[in-house]
Amino acid sequence: MTDKKKAVGILVVSFGTSYPETCRKTIEKIEDEIRAACPEHSVYRAWTSGMIRRKVLKRDGIRIFGVEEALGQMKADGMEEVIVQPTHVINGIENEEMTKAVMKFENQFQSISIGTPLLTTQKDNEEVIKAVLEEMQPSDEELLIFMGHGTEHHSNAVYAALNFILKDMGQENVFIATVEAYPSVDHVVKEAAKRNRKKVRLAPFMLVAGDHANNDLAGEDEDSWKSILEKEGYEVSCDLKGLGEYPGIRAVYMEHLQEAMKQLSVTK
C-alpha cells in the first residue's frame, strides 16, 4: 500500500510590474514554463510590491496576492508542502523580506523550501552572463550597456563581479551599471570614453522592462541614460527586453526551482 501523494504547491514570487506586455513575456513566461515542467503541482503567484498590486487592481480589476496572502490561499486550498521560487535578480532587500514573510508560515505546512534568486552563486553569475551575451550578440562597433537596479544592500557587489566576468571573457565593450547604486551611469560614461566607439546600445538588466527601462533608461527626459549618452555624442539605441525574455535566464530559474524541490524531498 502506498502513501497518499502529498499536495505540493509552487509559489512564484516576483516584484511585479504594471506593464502588461512585459509581464506576459517575462513573469508569465516563467510561470508557464514551471507549470509545464511540474504538471503534478499547483502553481501560485505573489508580487512583493504593494504599490504595483494596487495599481493593477485599480486599473485592470486584477487582484494579485502578496506573499502572505498567497500562502494563506495555498493553505486554504489544501497544499501540504510548499516550494517558493523568487524571480528576484539578486539576494537583496526584497528577497530578505520575502523570506521573512514565508517563514511566518513554517508551522502551517508540512514543509517549505525556498529557492534562490537569479544571481546567487558564481556558477549563476557565469551562466547569466553567457545567456545575456548569447541573446544580445554584442558587436565590436558598439558599446553595450546594461541597466541594473542597484541597492544599498551588500548584495549590490554582484554587479562589480559581473563586470569582472565580462572583462575576463574579453567583452571590453560591455558594461553593467545601476540606476540606484554603484556603478552608476557616470562611471560607465568615463569608461566608455576610453573605448573610441560612436554607437551605444542600452538594455535593462532587470527581469521586466518596466518603469526603469522605459523612463530611466530610454526616456526623453534629460536625466535618462539615453539622453545623457546622446549629450556625450553617442548614437544611442535601446533594446527594451527584460531578462525574463531570455531563454537562458529562465533556464537558470528552473535550475534553482529544481534545487528547491530536491531540498523539499529531503524533508519528507
Side-chain angles (χ1 to χ4, degrees):
M1 182 175 179
T2 58
D3 293 335
K4 180 179 79 73
K5 193 171 184 179
K6 293 180 180 179
V8 179
I10 300 173
L11 178 59
V12 184
V13 180
S14 305
F15 180 79
T17 178
S18 61
Y19 288 71
E21 184 176 353
T22 191
C23 182
R24 285 191 293 271
K25 294 177 179 178
T26 57
I27 295 173
E28 288 185 15
K29 187 75 172 176
I30 292 169
E31 293 168 346
D32 288 344
E33 290 190 2
I34 290 174
R35 287 189 184 92
C38 308
E40 70 278 19
H41 301 327
S42 300
V43 179
Y44 294 77
R45 167 189 290 182
W47 288 2
T48 58
S49 173
M51 180 183 70
I52 291 177
R53 296 200 311 271
R54 289 188 294 272
K55 182 174 182 179
V56 171
L57 178 61
K58 182 178 180 180
R59 186 190 67 196
D60 305 326
I62 299 173
R63 184 184 176 199
I64 298 169
F65 287 141
V67 173
E68 294 184 36
E69 289 177 303
L71 288 166
Q73 185 64 57
M74 294 173 80
K75 180 67 175 177
D77 289 346
M79 296 299 110
E80 298 169 279
E81 298 187 318
V82 171
I83 303 161
V84 179
Q85 180 55 54
T87 64
H88 300 145
V89 174
I90 63 174
N91 288 270
I93 296 169
E94 288 291 325
N95 202 67
E96 289 184 351
E97 291 298 319
M98 177 207 75
T99 301
K100 290 177 184 177
V102 170
M103 295 316 296
K104 291 180 182 179
F105 288 77
E106 63 179 332
N107 296 322
Q108 297 191 38
F109 297 96
Q110 292 182 22
S111 56
I112 297 177
S113 179
I114 304 177
T116 53
L118 183 66
L119 298 169
T120 299
T121 66
Q122 179 61 19
K123 178 174 177 284
D124 292 338
N125 296 346
E126 293 173 0
E127 286 186 355
V128 166
I129 288 297
K130 288 176 182 177
V132 166
L133 293 175
E134 181 179 350
E135 185 74 21
M136 300 301 285
Q137 295 290 316
S139 162
D140 289 339
E141 285 74 43
E142 67 179 4
L143 301 176
L144 177 57
I145 301 174
F146 289 95
M147 173 189 275
H149 190 278
T151 175
E152 294 180 358
H153 191 273
H154 58 78
S155 58
N156 192 75
V158 72
Y159 294 107
L162 295 175
N163 278 302
F164 271 107
I165 292 170
L166 283 166
K167 300 310 172 282
D168 281 345
M169 291 182 173
Q171 297 292 338
E172 295 292 334
N173 298 327
V174 183
F175 306 91
I176 300 175
T178 69
V179 68
E180 293 190 1
Y182 182 93
S184 69
V185 66
D186 293 335
H187 297 100
V188 173
V189 167
K190 291 178 185 177
E191 288 299 312
K194 304 173 185 177
R195 297 300 192 271
N196 193 30
R197 299 291 188 278
K198 298 299 182 183
K199 295 182 179 181
V200 170
R201 182 159 45 123
L202 298 175
F205 193 81
M206 303 175 189
L207 182 75
V208 303
D211 272 330
H212 286 305
N214 285 276
N215 299 318
D216 298 316
L217 185 76
E220 296 302 323
D221 290 346
E222 62 179 15
D223 59 349
S224 75
W225 286 22
K226 177 176 179 287
S227 296
I228 290 170
L229 286 157
E230 284 177 340
K231 286 179 184 176
E232 294 292 326
Y234 294 100
E235 179 184 331
V236 181
S237 62
C238 300
D239 194 334
L240 300 186
K241 183 185 296 185
L243 291 178
E245 296 186 48
Y246 301 7
I249 297 296
R250 296 196 301 273
V252 175
Y253 282 120
M254 289 300 299
E255 288 175 10
H256 291 194
L257 174 64
Q258 294 297 329
E259 287 301 314
M261 294 176 76
K262 289 178 185 177
Q263 292 299 318
L264 186 69
S265 66
V266 169
T267 66
K268 291 183 180 178

